[in-house]
Amino acid sequence: MGNGNSTQVAYQDNMHVVIVGGGQSGCYLAVQLLKSNFCKVTLIDPRDAMYHNHGAMRAAVNEDFMNYMFLPFADMLGSSFQRGTVVAMDSNNNTLTLKSGYQVRYTHLVVATGEDMPFPFKLGGENAELSAAKAADLLNQYRLELSDCNRIAFIGGGYNSVEMAGEIKTAFPDKEVIIITDEDHLVTKRARPALQASLLNILQQKGIAVIHNDSVYNLESVLTNRRADGQVLKTKNGKVLVTDFLINTEGAQINNGFYEKDLAGSMSPNGTLDVDDYLRVKGHDNIYAVGDVTSVDEEKTPCTPNEHAKVVKANLIAECNNATMTAYKAVMEVVLVSVGSEAGVSQICGMQFGNFPTKMAKGKDRNSSSTWTDLGLQLPAIKPEVCQGSKV
């Protein structure tokens, strides 16, 4: 590449950037590209709105928070949105095939399909093509069932378990909540011992029990992620627990269905895509990947999608200008764990911070304000008690 590094470029009539996946990474990139107005952009997603998955755990206990959960693609992207499910690709001919049979041609492809995990944390599997209205019905039903339960158990000790447990105990202090993990730590191995100790202390103050180094062995005989009163859980270490609502946050899988054959040579064993320093899929100069679908070894934070999008946008412009490309540098190591709207703990570059910084960075509104604003949408009106109580 040349020595220039201009961020301006004339409109490229023959360039068509197609983004597959309407999560945060895909949407951030699409919005940034449209603002730059240098080529045709199409984002493809099976739903009619972006699901604000960072807010799902609060919407699961607070009806008012539903106002934040669905960001309409039509308002965000206009005619640059194509609703559909991509089922196959042909990188030799630069084409994508939708479930309907319709084909989309691209000059540049960005894979932003992310990962799938149980509802309500993501809308995948049988829920992947739900409209916002249908998904809202599903989430409302989930909240009603959860609010009627007295004993709630979590399988897995990651962010989703810890943070949703905090949301439940904040909204419903009298409910029994327990987290069961087969690990010796919570959320991430990058969280240092001091943060782990502080987090455990916060959970204990909230009345959330934690069982480390143990696992439930009779999961196949119980129902998960829905109300089922009096279910008996048996652990490998001999514990017997009773729960009315079992939430399994484990088993996340990369959404690689449409590219697993064509890009097999660029995939890691876990299904992610190997990318170079510029977030290009290895072996393909015109295919990029952003978000959870990349093999980048980093702690994924609410900032990660935006940072990936910035780099890909810069490199697409650099290609047009024959300029120097921008290498992606993982954002500084950040661990943010909110426990309800007021409590939490953070670790930034090894330094630990407590409730207030964590609240402002994450817990206050589950990053809703920044997400809607960054995507060019006006934050919906919501009642003042949204972060203080529940409404069922």
Side-chain angles (χ1 to χ4, degrees), residues 9 43 85 140 161 175 208 212 227 273 286 295 300 324:
V9 61
L43 183 143
T85 299
N140 285 331
S161 286
K175 293 188 185 300
I208 300 169
H212 286 101
R227 180 179 179 179
L273 287 169
N286 69 329
S295 60
K300 297 296 192 293
T324 302

Side-chain angles (χ1 to χ4, degrees), residues 19 27-43 76-81 313:
I19 303 164
C27 289
Y28 278 28
L29 177 59
V31 168
Q32 290 186 28
L33 291 178
L34 288 172
K35 286 182 178 179
S36 295
N37 190 33
F38 70 93
C39 69
K40 181 180 179 181
V41 178
T42 301
L43 183 143
M76 185 193 308
L77 304 171
S79 60
S80 293
F81 171 64
K313 172 191 166 184

Side-chain angles (χ1 to χ4, degrees), residues 60-289:
V61 299
N62 191 314
E63 182 180 356
D64 284 336
F65 208 79
M66 290 290 293
N67 288 15
Y68 289 168
M69 286 304 300
F70 302 96
L71 291 74
F73 288 130
D75 295 345
M76 185 193 308
L77 304 171
S79 60
S80 293
F81 171 64
Q82 169 77 54
R83 187 173 183 181
T85 299
V86 180
V87 294
M89 67 176 290
D90 181 350
S91 59
N92 292 322
N93 293 303
N94 292 348
T95 59
L96 301 171
T97 301
L98 306 189
K99 183 188 289 187
S100 64
Y102 183 73
Q103 289 195 327
V104 179
R105 293 189 59 82
Y106 62 85
T107 60
H108 296 76
L109 174 67
V110 182
V111 181
T113 47
E115 64 179 8
D116 188 21
M117 60 182 61
F119 182 81
F121 307 105
K122 292 288 181 73
L123 280 175
E126 62 182 10
N127 302 320
E129 298 180 357
L130 289 182
S131 65
K134 293 291 186 183
D137 289 342
L138 196 65
L139 191 50
N140 285 331
Q141 181 61 36
Y142 188 95
R143 184 189 321 104
L144 289 171
E145 291 188 16
L146 188 65
S147 67
D148 284 340
C149 298
N150 294 319
R151 298 164 296 190
I152 300 164
F154 287 87
I155 302 296
Y159 282 98
N160 286 332
S161 286
V162 171
E163 296 191 337
M164 187 163 180
E167 296 293 336
I168 291 171
K169 286 295 284 188
T170 299
F172 308 108
D174 294 334
K175 293 188 185 300
E176 296 179 14
V177 178
I178 188 169
I179 297 171
I180 308 159
T181 174
D182 58 4
E183 303 279 2
D184 61 0
H185 62 274
L186 293 172
V187 296
T188 173
K189 289 182 178 179
R190 291 184 174 92
R192 299 188 178 186
L195 184 142
Q196 292 285 341
S198 296
L199 180 56
L200 274 175
N201 183 54
I202 292 172
L203 295 175
Q204 289 171 358
Q205 290 177 0
K206 285 274 189 181
I208 300 169
V210 179
I211 298 176
H212 286 101
N213 301 306
D214 203 355
S215 60
V216 175
Y217 70 78
N218 66 326
L219 276 179
E220 292 184 358
S221 63
V222 296
L223 296 175
T224 59
N225 299 305
R226 58 172 297 184
R227 180 179 179 179
D229 292 348
Q231 291 198 111
V232 177
L233 308 180
K234 299 178 180 180
T235 77
K236 291 183 177 180
N237 290 341
K239 293 183 173 62
V240 178
L241 308 168
V242 180
T243 182
D244 305 319
F245 202 112
L246 179 61
I247 301 172
N248 189 354
T249 66
E250 295 187 328
Q253 295 183 331
I254 298 298
N255 288 319
N256 56 19
F258 88 88
Y259 67 74
E260 63 180 344
K261 292 182 180 179
D262 195 285
L263 300 181
S266 307
M267 282 174 52
S268 298
N270 67 349
T272 57
L273 287 169
D274 289 326
V275 294
D276 63 14
D277 291 342
Y278 311 108
L279 296 182
R280 292 180 304 192
V281 175
K282 291 184 177 179
H284 299 270
D285 289 342
N286 69 329
I287 302 178
Y288 291 80

